[in-house]
Amino acid sequence: MNNSRVYDMRPPQLPLATLIGRELRNEKIEKPLVRHGHAGLAKKGEDYFLIKPDCERTPGNSASSFSVFAIFDGHNGVSAAIFTKENLLNHVMSAIPQGIDREEWLHALPRALVAGFVKTDIDFQRRGETSGTTVTFVVVDGLTVTVASVGDSRCILDTQGGVVSLLTVDHRLEENAEERERVTASGGEVGRLNVCGGTEVGPLRCWPGGLCLSRSIGDMDVGEFIVPIPHVKQVKLPTTGGRLIIASDGIWDALSSEVAAQSCRGLPAELAAKLVVKEALRSRGLKDDTTCVVVDVIPPDHFVAPPSPKKKQNMLTSLIFGKKNQNSMNKLTNKLSSVGVVEELFEEGSAMLAERLAPDVPFKPASGLMRCAVCQVDQPSEGLSVNAGLFFSPTSKPWEGPFLCADCRIKKDAMEGKRPSRPKATA
């Protein structure tokens, strides 16, 4: 590789005044209002949430503001949930190039979310702790909503007209046949818990470890075919805005998406979150941590109050038959773009890291260092790209495609079952 021809692909650093001017010129409409509320009750104390309505793409530039809302449902302890809450956003932001405008930023966000999730998982596993967590991570920028998720927490969208759509994919082995096939192909075993006499009980789980999820952050005792690579979906809301309901499985095990949305229409976000929790407890009782965050995205000049809740008689019917209606409601998600309610901008759920990192040229400073697409650390350019095999001929180009450092390459291979994973705990 001729270092004299290597160049830096990073956008040039621009003065803050230039960035602010660019943002103001691109700001053709007033930003929508974002109102939020949260509620929850603890059974195990392993649910955590994140609400950051005052983030900025360009520090010091209020015109570049965006909001982040997230749910972390921990298991086998709280360490993974707390660590992820404290570090995930920073890892995502570090994977987005500096000096780009809003449209470029939104385009780069899905890839950065994948890198951020994987980086957070690698860093947590180095601590040598065995807890894990689901993550549903929501970024609201104007009318554009981007959701990344692993596990079985969920985010739904309720828009004007009563159309409810699911913005996440549940990664429960019991319901997700594709994930069962991927786990077994990578070296895991899927089966139910065996009790006395060989009787099998409970949901499908991954062994060793007995986790019923196929994706999470942490869980180093289960094996790295339980991957931290998120399903990511990005949509643009209609001019009437919409309501997001983000909640842990303590809500969704009790209520269908449609019932949760119906139960709180016409109410402000804070009261709506409390009512969703109340409906879940009334339906199932407090059997798990129950956490709900409601986010209303309201264009100031298009505000129309959400439709009022249905009559109690109809609500009772929905509570009884809500679970049966869930599959039919999920099918509506794929029809949203065709009816013009929500514009789908991006969706990808592959668990293969090579498919989730864009095939553009990696950063190549003239020093001969290249930046890892996951951990964002400069490394010698003699490393491997994400597309390079374990062995390659002298005429091949291992630097083509996103570059991975040695640690991230090991992580990628372990997730795909190509080599055993041996996470190292630091003192």
Side-chain angles (χ1 to χ4, degrees), residues 302-320:
H302 290 87
F303 176 68
V304 179
S308 300
K310 293 184 178 181
K311 295 180 180 179
K312 290 185 178 180
Q313 181 179 357
N314 292 336
M315 277 298 299
L316 179 60
T317 302
S318 297
L319 285 170
I320 296 174

Side-chain angles (χ1 to χ4, degrees), residues 329-343:
M329 287 308 303
N330 291 346
K331 293 178 181 178
L332 286 175
T333 304
N334 297 326
K335 300 179 181 180
L336 291 176
S337 297
S338 63
V339 299
V341 176
V342 176
E343 180 184 356

Side-chain angles (χ1 to χ4, degrees), residues 168-212:
T168 52
V169 168
D170 286 352
H171 294 127
R172 285 187 178 180
L173 290 165
E174 185 71 36
E175 286 89 16
N176 198 319
E178 291 184 4
E179 287 294 279
R180 292 198 297 270
E181 293 174 1
R182 180 190 62 78
V183 169
T184 54
S186 299
E189 295 183 11
V190 175
R192 304 187 194 280
L193 180 66
N194 280 316
V195 295
C196 300
T199 304
E200 294 185 343
V201 296
L204 288 174
R205 300 176 182 273
C206 178
W207 304 99
L211 189 65
C212 62

Side-chain angles (χ1 to χ4, degrees), residues 41-48 74 77-78 289:
L41 288 172
K43 177 74 171 180
K44 304 175 185 176
E46 295 177 331
D47 273 9
Y48 288 82
V78 300
D289 292 336

Side-chain angles (χ1 to χ4, degrees), residues 28-102:
K28 298 179 181 178
I29 60 172
E30 187 178 356
K31 277 184 173 290
L33 303 174
V34 178
R35 297 288 181 261
H36 60 83
H38 72 276
L41 288 172
K43 177 74 171 180
K44 304 175 185 176
E46 295 177 331
D47 273 9
Y48 288 82
F49 64 91
L50 175 67
I51 295 177
K52 288 186 68 67
D54 54 354
C55 304
E56 293 177 344
R57 298 188 302 275
T58 304
N61 178 9
S62 59
S64 69
S65 63
F66 65 96
S67 302
V68 171
F69 306 91
I71 293 285
F72 312 93
D73 183 356
H75 47 263
N76 195 22
V78 300
S79 296
I82 294 174
F83 183 88
T84 304
K85 174 183 176 179
E86 294 177 347
N87 294 278
L88 178 56
L89 176 57
N90 289 336
H91 289 331
V92 172
M93 293 301 293
S94 69
I96 300 179
Q98 298 179 0
I100 58 179
D101 62 24
R102 177 176 180 269

